Amino acid sequence: MASNDLPRTAIAETLAQSIAALDVAKLPQGVRRKCEELLIDVVGLAVTARSEDYVKSTLAACDDDGSCTAIGHARTLSAAAAALVNGTAIHGEDFDDTFEGGPVHAGAVIVPAVLAACERHGCDGKVALLGIAVGVETMCRLSMVAPTLTHKAGFHPTAVFGTMGAAAGVGAALELSPRQLVDALGNAGSMAGGIIEYLAEGAWTKRLHAGWAAQAGIRAALLGRAGFSGPRTVFEGVHGFFYAFARTSGGDFAAVTDGFGTLWVTETLAFKPYPCGTMTHPYIDCGRRLGRRVRADDIVEMVCDVGEGTVHRLWEPLAAKQHPANGYAGKFSTPYCIATGFVRGNVALSDFTDEAVRDPAVLALAAKVRYRIDPQNPYPKNFTGHIRATLRDGSIVEERQPHMRGGAHEPLTRADLEEKFMLSAKHGGWSEARAKAALQLIAGLFDGPVELSEMRG
């Protein structure tokens, strides 16, 4: 598209009109229910991580105190800083929700951004609900424009699409006009970022991506509200968002705008049963079942059929994945996750410490795990698992998992999520009474003022 051949109506303009036309009273019940479930999940995860070193570092790096809540901390911060700390904590253990079509982690970005903005600007729960719904929907739809290409270009989709989603969500909550929303999205395009080099040695930067996107989205929305001009062709332009982050000027842009506000992909969000990379989950399930059928010493090798788009993050370099550098790196190692599920019978937060990833029994089995690319694998539309184990006697034992547990095909129940919340809060040092009080607050948050002071400290 030449600069003198710009569209009469840009994608951002169509999206902004759809957002501005939404009425929170007409949100489908399924969307409201999913947003309530997101609140339960993300608050629990923020508490879980509140005493971790990476959260303490993030909090210490903030020098802009204010009136907004950093969940689980006594200190109050500016809206941007609260979004940064909360988003980093929520995404920190890789236990947060996933949109399987992307994949992106929406809750860790959108919920902290919208809650902080609403807390700062005195908004009520109804607009917070609208903002969360809009932000999640925008972020997830953007991830479907050019699936897998953002990862291949070296960027973390949660980071780049999250900035856009947060700008849209905060903009909706603050009731920006269509023109202001277009400027907010245009400005967000220049704020997005997040490289995936954390994979090399298990550095902390992936944890930061959700929080950074959340605070950037707030900044972009406020700039848009103040009239700071952003490019309306931010998405489809020859130097636009997808050209920069997916190395393409094409893509399915209808995925962003078609049916926005009437067809909600938000309702399909998946919640994690394991605290590690989402695409490892079906393989963990297979590994756990294999562990109940055969002994590790009897296995010669385990070959996994995988989607090509997962290889560079979860399988290569294979030797490094078979022997993770530290606990965090273990979260993005399918061989380690499979071996852990097989040997220990489950995969939990305690399996991703630096000590846990040095377990000789787990490492010995992980060294027997390799992959082959299955061209028919449906990733990223569906996350599946398949392990073919060869035993010393020459026999073959196989396990298959047709979908991710916790996703659209087998969702977690509200009771499951509340149980996860209680365990997360306990892990973070909250008493049972305090955790139950927080659950009660969350249940009524969308029907009253956005008051989060009870979640401090």
Side-chain angles (χ1 to χ4, degrees), residues 44-75:
L45 295 176
V47 176
T48 280
R50 70 191 185 110
S51 298
E52 298 294 334
D53 287 347
Y54 59 88
V55 175
K56 291 179 179 178
S57 293
T58 307
L59 189 62
C62 296
D63 60 358
D64 46 342
D65 289 10
S67 60
C68 296
T69 300
I71 297 170
H73 303 278
R75 182 182 169 196

Side-chain angles (χ1 to χ4, degrees), residues 303-307 311 315 370-374 386 388 398:
V303 180
C304 302
D305 287 339
V306 305
V311 170
W315 286 99
R370 63 182 182 87
Y371 72 92
R372 64 185 179 190
I373 294 172
D374 174 11
H386 174 238
R388 186 176 188 268
E398 295 188 73

Side-chain angles (χ1 to χ4, degrees), residues 146-163:
T148 75
L149 294 186
T150 305
H151 263 138
K152 286 182 179 178
F155 295 101
H156 184 196
T158 294
V160 297
F161 299 126
T163 304

Side-chain angles (χ1 to χ4, degrees), residues 98-447:
T98 296
F99 175 59
E100 293 175 88
V104 289
H105 305 282
V109 179
I110 306 304
V111 175
V114 172
L115 290 186
C118 288
E119 195 175 18
R120 168 65 181 84
H121 295 280
C123 303
D124 65 22
K126 286 186 173 61
V127 297
L129 169 60
L130 180 65
I132 291 170
V134 165
V136 170
E137 188 72 10
T138 301
M139 183 176 174
C140 293
R141 282 172 170 263
L142 284 170
S143 75
M144 297 190 294
V145 171
T148 75
L149 294 186
T150 305
H151 263 138
K152 286 182 179 178
F155 295 101
H156 184 196
T158 294
V160 297
F161 299 126
T163 304
M164 287 292 191
V170 172
L174 298 184
E175 300 179 310
L176 269 59
S177 70
R179 178 67 255 172
Q180 291 171 325
L181 283 167
V182 170
D183 285 334
L185 292 167
N187 293 327
S190 287
M191 298 179 178
I195 60 173
I196 59 175
E197 184 59 16
Y198 65 86
L199 290 165
E201 295 177 315
W204 290 354
T205 47
K206 181 178 187 287
R207 291 168 154 144
L208 179 71
H209 289 169
W212 190 260
Q215 62 89 30
I218 293 174
R219 299 287 193 197
L222 292 177
L223 284 167
R225 188 174 72 167
F228 195 100
S229 176
R232 68 186 184 92
T233 52
V234 62
F235 295 124
E236 71 271 44
V238 293
H239 303 294
F241 185 79
F242 284 92
Y243 177 82
F245 292 113
R247 307 288 193 265
T248 182
S249 56
D252 180 15
F253 289 113
V256 181
T257 55
D258 283 6
F260 194 101
T262 57
L263 300 173
W264 291 85
V265 301
T266 295
E267 294 187 65
T268 69
L269 282 187
F271 293 101
K272 288 185 177 184
Y274 304 122
C276 50
T278 314
M279 285 74 73
T280 68
H281 286 212
Y283 296 94
I284 292 171
D285 286 341
C286 292
R288 292 178 67 188
R289 291 197 295 269
L290 276 175
R292 294 193 289 267
R293 297 176 62 187
V294 299
R295 297 189 323 127
D297 289 345
D298 292 333
I299 294 175
V300 175
E301 69 171 0
M302 289 195 286
V303 180
C304 302
D305 287 339
V306 305
E308 187 273 336
T310 70
V311 170
H312 71 291
R313 302 190 311 284
L314 300 174
W315 286 99
E316 288 291 349
L318 184 58
K321 296 299 185 183
Q322 291 170 334
H323 199 293
N326 55 34
Y328 190 56
K331 291 177 179 285
F332 312 106
S333 161
T334 311
Y336 174 77
C337 289
I338 289 171
T340 299
F342 185 109
V343 171
R344 298 177 183 151
N346 200 0
V347 175
L349 287 166
S350 59
D351 295 308
F352 297 101
T353 65
D354 291 349
E355 181 180 3
V357 298
R358 292 193 291 266
D359 183 338
V362 174
L363 293 177
L365 185 59
K368 300 177 183 179
V369 180
R370 63 182 182 87
Y371 72 92
R372 64 185 179 190
I373 294 172
D374 174 11
Q376 303 303 315
N377 188 285
Y379 175 83
K381 292 183 178 180
N382 185 32
F383 300 167
T384 63
H386 174 238
I387 301 177
R388 186 176 188 268
T390 302
L391 306 185
R392 294 191 184 280
D393 63 5
S395 61
I396 303 294
V397 180
E398 295 188 73
E399 284 287 348
R400 295 180 183 273
Q401 178 69 18
H403 53 254
M404 174 191 169
R405 288 190 305 110
H409 298 285
E410 191 179 344
L412 299 184
T413 66
R414 181 70 166 256
D416 291 333
L417 289 169
E418 290 185 356
E419 180 182 7
K420 179 181 174 182
F421 176 91
M422 295 299 292
L423 290 171
S424 296
K426 181 179 181 180
H427 185 270
W430 275 12
S431 68
E432 181 178 354
R434 180 159 195 194
K436 286 182 176 179
L439 270 179
Q440 187 173 4
L441 187 155
I442 291 167
L445 190 68
F446 293 145
D447 296 315

